[in-house]
Amino acid sequence: MEHTKRWEELNKEALEKLDEYMKSKGTAANDHHEKISSAKDKWQAAWNEFLETLVVLEKLEI
C-alpha cells in the first residue's frame, strides 16, 4: 500500500501545482474557467477509476 500513498501524494501535488499555476496567471475568462474546472473534474474521475483498478489488481495479487 506504500505505492498507493505515493500515487495519492503525486495526485495531490499535481492538483496543488495546477492551482498555483492558475493563481499566477490571474483571472481566466468564464469560458476558460469552465473548461479548466471541467478538465479538473475529469482528472479526478480518471484518478478515482485508476485507484479502483489498483484495488482490484491488489485483490488479484498482480
Side-chain angles (χ1 to χ4, degrees), residues 5-60:
K5 288 180 183 178
R6 177 65 181 135
W7 287 327
E8 288 174 3
E9 289 172 6
L10 288 172
N11 182 51
K12 182 179 177 183
E13 181 180 333
L15 291 173
E16 287 173 354
K17 287 187 178 196
L18 173 64
D19 288 338
E20 287 176 18
Y21 177 77
M22 294 307 300
K23 287 178 185 175
S24 72
K25 294 297 178 183
T27 306
N30 283 341
D31 184 42
H32 294 281
H33 184 70
E34 289 175 14
K35 287 180 181 179
I36 292 166
S37 293
S38 175
K40 195 173 179 181
D41 291 341
K42 287 179 184 178
W43 171 276
Q44 274 306 128
W47 179 255
N48 290 335
E49 189 172 331
F50 175 69
L51 287 180
E52 289 173 11
T53 302
L54 288 178
V55 169
V56 170
L57 292 174
E58 283 184 8
K59 287 181 180 178
L60 294 174

